[in-house]
Amino acid sequence: VNFEALIIAMSVVGGTLLIMLGVCCCCCCCKKKSKKQVLGGPDKDDERAAREREKRRVRQEERRAEMKSRHDEIRRKYGTV
């Protein structure tokens, strides 16, 4: 009976150690990731958002120029220039 208790106790201790090791590894990975984002500059999401903002800005400028030329044509057509 004592031998069985020893096996159960060792299993519990071993399982606890494995769980603690896994938790420590996860914490270390999260720390490295957050530290890398702080030191490494913008991450991929920020870069992608910046590219999207730039694309929208360029499209808006193109639309603005197109509308201006269209309005100028209308003004010339009706002589309101």
Side-chain angles (χ1 to χ4, degrees), residues 44-79:
K44 292 180 181 179
D45 292 335
D46 290 340
E47 291 174 3
R48 186 176 68 231
R51 282 194 305 269
E52 289 295 323
R53 279 193 304 269
E54 182 64 22
K55 285 179 184 178
R56 282 193 300 265
R57 186 185 63 78
V58 168
R59 279 196 314 253
Q60 181 65 28
E61 288 176 3
E62 289 172 355
R63 282 191 297 243
R64 189 173 292 136
E66 183 181 322
M67 289 299 291
K68 185 179 183 316
S69 67
R70 199 178 295 162
H71 289 151
D72 289 343
E73 288 176 20
I74 292 171
R75 286 185 188 107
R76 274 194 302 268
K77 180 178 177 181
Y78 291 105

Side-chain angles (χ1 to χ4, degrees), residues 10-27:
M10 292 300 286
S11 299
V12 169
V13 170
T16 304
L17 288 175
L18 286 175
I19 291 173
M20 287 174 55
L21 182 68
V23 169
C24 288
C25 288
C26 290
C27 289

